[in-house]
Amino acid sequence: MKKFLVIGNPIEHSLSPKLHNYWIEKNNLKAFYEKRKLNEEDIKNIIQEIRNNNITGINVTVPFKKLIIPFVDELTDEAKQVQSVNTIYKKEDKIIGENTDARGFQEAIKMTNYTIKGKKIFILGAGGVASSLIYSLINMGATNISLSNRTIEKTKYLKEMFPSIKIIQWGKETDFDMILNATSLGLENETIQMNYQKHKSKFFYDIIYNPPKTNFLKGGEKFKNKIENGKLMFIFQAQLAFKIWHGINPKIDKEVLDLI
Ligand code: ATR
């Protein structure tokens, strides 16, 4: 029986076990997937469990996506470029750190039929997933990316990684076609303070999918903007991890969409 884990802190609300176990069952695999709350000092031991073949694969979530990097043996190209790891496995005795958030986001954007190429994007939040978003947006041809975070220090390493991005003071607005909320504010039902009525026919995207419609998305929708939550991004990053671990591309159908 192969064992898989998602590690993070907090971890209670993670839907990864539900999704992965659903696909495991659908594909008749002998495996199970659990969540585990960790502290930073436990990272070393958990990696050792992969080395010892007690665990086959790990998904990594907040706040360990960057912290875990020194503990793996090798990063895939994408994980190296975004300096963020959300999927871990062993390959030929080496522990590999992979990133599927960036491609997950890209796949999710494709599904919305929105063209990023040539667009001005404003990102709110510089947490664990921000580098994956910026990387994908640059890949998709965004011409102008601005970033704002309450704690300005956290934007600095992102500016070093992606020198073309513009840093905006928290609470200030800048011109955009698409605004991307990558903060965790929506989880607590809090609102991004902004001038919602000023915007029309723009694209409001929230990486949060629970609640499905954050106050930020409600604000965008009220003034006739296109909106989208992070559900598809979550499902696609999981699909990519599943493919890496099991060699099977699991289906994303209505049943899966209703599950999350
Ligand atoms: P981490 O920052 O540990 O990687 P995260 O969940 O990936 O955690 O990111 C949380 C994001 O939401 C951060 O951008 C955070 O801003 P800070 O860097 O200033 O902490 C943002 N965030 C959380 N609560 C917020 C609040 N009340 N107001 C503004 N931004 C908030």
Side-chain angles (χ1 to χ4, degrees), residues 102-187:
R103 264 174 299 151
F105 176 63
Q106 214 157 317
E107 292 296 321
I109 291 293
K110 257 192 226 158
M111 296 290 284
T112 68
N113 289 324
Y114 184 78
T115 308
I116 296 289
K117 198 168 163 55
K119 295 285 177 17
K120 292 196 264 301
I121 321 278
F122 187 22
I123 303 173
L124 307 173
V129 80
S131 62
S132 301
L133 301 175
I134 298 169
Y135 173 81
S136 297
L137 289 163
I138 292 174
N139 252 350
M140 288 186 276
T143 32
N144 180 315
I145 299 173
S146 302
L147 172 71
S148 187
N149 194 54
R150 177 182 60 177
T151 314
I152 194 131
E153 287 72 41
K154 281 208 214 157
T155 61
K156 295 208 169 117
Y157 89 95
L158 289 165
K159 175 79 184 166
E160 275 165 27
M161 282 170 78
F162 307 104
S164 65
I165 64 171
K166 204 164 94 194
I167 307 300
I168 307 290
Q169 201 186 322
W170 185 248
K172 292 251 163 70
E173 278 191 42
T174 186
D175 191 25
F176 62 84
D177 301 305
M178 176 189 189
I179 184 162
L180 219 164
N181 183 15
T183 73
S184 50
L185 274 168
L187 280 178

Side-chain angles (χ1 to χ4, degrees), residues 160-227:
E160 275 165 27
M161 282 170 78
F162 307 104
S164 65
I165 64 171
K166 204 164 94 194
I167 307 300
I168 307 290
Q169 201 186 322
W170 185 248
K172 292 251 163 70
E173 278 191 42
T174 186
D175 191 25
F176 62 84
D177 301 305
M178 176 189 189
I179 184 162
L180 219 164
N181 183 15
T183 73
S184 50
L185 274 168
L187 280 178
E188 291 127 42
N189 223 14
E190 288 187 46
T191 309
I192 295 276
Q193 300 299 335
M194 62 179 280
N195 208 345
Y196 288 95
Q197 63 271 25
K198 225 177 80 184
H199 304 288
K200 224 168 67 183
S201 309
K202 296 188 175 160
F203 189 12
F204 280 58
Y205 192 105
D206 202 316
I207 57 158
I208 286 176
Y209 53 90
N210 190 15
K213 219 181 262 181
T214 57
N215 292 331
F216 168 77
L217 291 185
K218 282 181 191 160
E221 189 179 43
K222 190 168 166 196
F223 298 99
K224 310 265 180 297
N225 296 285
K226 176 181 171 75
I227 63 164

Side-chain angles (χ1 to χ4, degrees), residues 23 27 29 239-251:
W23 280 331
N27 290 284
L29 301 172
Q239 185 189 43
L240 290 159
F242 195 95
K243 172 102 192 282
I244 290 166
W245 292 331
H246 304 284
I248 294 169
N249 201 25
K251 272 207 191 96

Side-chain angles (χ1 to χ4, degrees), residues 51 53 73 90-95:
R51 259 187 231 289
N53 301 317
D73 301 327
K90 189 161 106 171
K91 190 179 156 193
E92 292 155 10
D93 284 331
K94 282 209 168 111
I95 307 295

Side-chain angles (χ1 to χ4, degrees), residues 45-105:
N45 288 339
I46 210 98
I47 297 290
Q48 195 55 37
E49 286 197 61
I50 305 188
R51 259 187 231 289
N52 300 342
N53 301 317
N54 293 333
I55 298 174
T56 305
I58 292 182
N59 274 146
V60 184
T61 187
V62 174
F64 301 126
K65 290 185 182 192
K66 206 173 158 60
L67 286 168
I68 207 152
I69 290 177
F71 296 90
V72 302
D73 301 327
E74 233 170 62
L75 294 178
T76 59
D77 272 355
E78 212 148 70
K80 204 180 289 169
Q81 300 236 30
V82 300
Q83 286 294 300
S84 168
V85 164
N86 77 324
T87 303
I88 297 180
Y89 55 96
K90 189 161 106 171
K91 190 179 156 193
E92 292 155 10
D93 284 331
K94 282 209 168 111
I95 307 295
I96 312 289
E98 163 78 278
N99 176 296
T100 69
D101 285 329
R103 264 174 299 151
F105 176 63

